[in-house]
Structure formats: C-alpha cells, structure tokens
Amino acid sequence: MAGTITHEHSQADKATKSGVIFKILVIEDQSQYARFVQSVFEDQGYHVQTASNAEEAMQLVAGEAPDLITLDLLMPGKTGVKLYRDLRKHENLQNTRIVILTGLDHDSQGLCSYNEFFKRISRGGQVSEPDAYLTKPIEAETLLHTAQKLLGQ
Amino acid sequence: MSPQVIIDERKTRSGAERIMTHQERLTAIGETIAGIAHSIKNMLGMIKGGEYQVESGLQREDLARIREGWAMVKTGNQFIADLVLKMLTLYRDTQPAYEEITFREIIDSVLMVLKSKAKEKGVRFEVHLEPENISGMVDVGCMREALLNLADNAIDACPAENGCIKFGAVHSNGLHTELYVEDNGRGIAPEIEPRLFEPFFTTKGETGTGLGLPVVQKIVEEHQGVLRSGPGPQGGARFTIRIPRREALG
C-alpha cells in the first residue's frame, strides 16, 4: 500500500536527493507500528510505502527501488532473515540501504543479538551486513537520524 | 572397589547432579526473563510509537492521527496486561475449583468475547454438542480461559475469507469428556509442531505472547487431562482437550 507525502517545503528539502524525494519501504507486519514508522518518515517529507509481508515487499521492490528499507525480522510466513537475503540479492536493490528494525534480541526464536543474526544471514553464501540494526523500543529521533545518516543527509 | 570409594562416587555424582539441576534452573529462569523482556520491549515500542503519533497529531491538529496513536498505546497496555495474567496462570500453582456447568455456557461466553474479532475477520462459529446439554465438573474460569486461548489462535489461523471455527463437546466414553476447537486454516506446519507448547514461542510475529498454548496445557493438566493437537476434518488445526468426567467418577 502506498503512503502519501504530507510535509512542508522545508522538510521536503531535507528528504531529497538532487531534488528527488527519497523513497523508503517499511516492511512490518504490525499495521499500527508500520503506521508509526511511516509517519516518522512522512513528517520529514520522505515518500513512504509499507508492506506487511514478504510477498508484498518483493512485489514493491520489483518496481521502483526504494532508497532505504526498514525490515522487521519476525513476521508470519517467510522469516525476516530469509527476506533479508532475498532483498540483498535483488538486482534492483544494489544501492538500497537496509535497516533492521526488530524486537529480537534474545534466543527464543533462534536468534540472539546482531552477531547471531549475521551468522544466520551468512549461511548458504556470503551476503553483506545490514546498514543498521535497531532494536525496539526505539525513539522516533533515533530512527530518523539513522535513516538520514545512511542517506547521506 | 571399597565401600569408601563407592560412597565418594555417590557424593560426587549427587554433587554433579545438584550443579546440573542448578544450571538448568538458571537457564530456564534466564530464558523466561528473556522471553518476558522481549515481549515487554516490543510493546514498549508500540507505546512509544503511539506517543509519537499522539504528540505529532496534537501538533498538527490531526484527530485521525491522535486516534491511531491512542489505539497503539491501548494495544500496548492490553498486551502487557494479558502477558502478566498469562504469566501468573502459567507459573503459579493452582488447584481447580470444580463446579458443574454446561459446556454451552462456557462456549457462549468465549464467543461473546471473540465476537468482534471474528466479525472483523469474517470468521463464523459453529457449535456441536453431544448431547446438547452436555455438562461437566471443571474450573469454569480456567476452562473458559483455555477455550478462549484456543479460539483466539483459531481466528488468527483462519483464512482471509470463509473462515470457520468449530467448537465441540462430547463424552468420548463413560469416563472422559472431549472439548475441541478446530479451524479451517492451513494447519500446523510439521516444523512448528514440536515447539507448540514452548513458552514464548510464537508464529504471530511480534504480536503474540507465546504463552497462550502453554497456559492451555497447564490448565488441562491441572484438570488431570490431556491436550492434543493435530489436523482437523476441515483441513486446519484441531486442538482437543480430554478431561476425566469427575461427575461420573463420583
């Protein structure tokens, strides 16, 4: 589902790359949380799309590539780890920044900490690390600053 | 081998066993704390997100956004309250307070609670009782909680269209009663089945506590019963609670 851009001009200036508005894809199954992340970025003038599962995400990236993706790791269906690998290998996304945004930081789901996550994504072939790994709960400012830094703003 | 050596070996073995037990307990406590912390952190994330939506909504005078934010805060609070109640049920020793009740009454109270969630997802309920006035001696609050957890999971498991959940109660023989809840979802994946009753394991992403089925299992065991899971005739999952007929036992 596509988000709309609701921003003021000064914010739009911050969210552009040579006058083109940065595009962000939020992959999150919890719709309320997805709306929050969407609001944080849209308030700064970014163009935001959201996907609630892996299939929706893969359909969206098959079109125009986002500049940045936030990815939840725990979603029904395809796991975030598998989806991360698929996104990293996707030809459209070679210049896309990927930020993991997850509540996972223990081992009840077989994942614990960033190191364990990285070990798992590395199984079955080398794949590059995420550009950032953020754990919930997260402040809106931290999320925004992370994205701005990754987008060279 | 002299008697002294045997005694010493026994001492050593019992010491090792004690250490192992202590380590296992520490591991179990650690896993439990990690599970609780994980769930609460997720919901704190939800509440923080809600705060942002409310505050930015106030700044923008955007009532729709304020409502969204407030709904997030309520979701987070409700989840944490639910988590605490399930934790208390799971980790506190209790004895059922048995009373006779018709299973229709318990199922109806479960349906009442889940009515709006089911309606939202387009899920319909069917109730099959044999005989219609089938009753039993159970802890009413606990058994209602067990069926509520099973039915709540069943709604989540139902397909987006034409979801159907069947509740049933039958005296399987002279000595037992079986209560079941089945859905017409995709069923239980074989790789998931061994972990179904593991505390904090969930297939619902970050919105599940992972305590629903362990709580059901504990309630059933307190009733000296057995909880079984498997495929149902509709192709989805079927959970069956089999408990002794205390009223028949006298």
Side-chain angles (χ1 to χ4, degrees), chain A residues 93-151:
Chain A
L93 304 178
Q94 296 311 301
N95 297 316
T96 298
R97 305 292 193 174
I98 300 182
V99 177
I100 302 296
L101 179 53
T102 180
L104 273 180
D105 59 354
H106 73 104
D107 60 2
S108 75
Q109 303 283 338
L111 279 171
C112 59
S113 77
Y114 174 74
N115 288 339
E116 185 62 26
F117 165 75
F118 189 62
K119 261 192 245 167
R120 290 191 59 165
I121 61 169
S122 301
R123 281 178 202 156
Q126 194 61 39
V127 61
S128 58
E129 295 181 55
D131 296 283
Y133 189 94
L134 304 175
T135 56
K136 300 172 186 173
I138 190 166
E139 299 289 344
E141 292 77 12
T142 309
L143 177 61
L144 189 60
H145 291 158
T146 302
Q148 286 172 334
K149 195 175 164 191
L150 291 174
L151 294 169

Side-chain angles (χ1 to χ4, degrees), chain A residues 24-28 33-42 44 46 48 68-72 98-102 132-151 153, chain B residues 45 48-49 52:
Chain A
I24 295 178
L25 172 61
V26 175
I27 307 174
E28 166 70 57
Y33 201 80
R35 277 287 300 146
F36 153 62
V37 177
Q38 184 176 12
S39 296
V40 169
F41 290 131
E42 283 185 353
Q44 299 302 317
Y46 294 98
V48 184
L68 184 138
I69 292 172
T70 70
L71 171 62
D72 180 21
I98 300 182
V99 177
I100 302 296
L101 179 53
T102 180
Y133 189 94
L134 304 175
T135 56
K136 300 172 186 173
I138 190 166
E139 299 289 344
E141 292 77 12
T142 309
L143 177 61
L144 189 60
H145 291 158
T146 302
Q148 286 172 334
K149 195 175 164 191
L150 291 174
L151 294 169
Q153 296 178 283
Chain B
K48 268 190 185 298
Y52 177 88

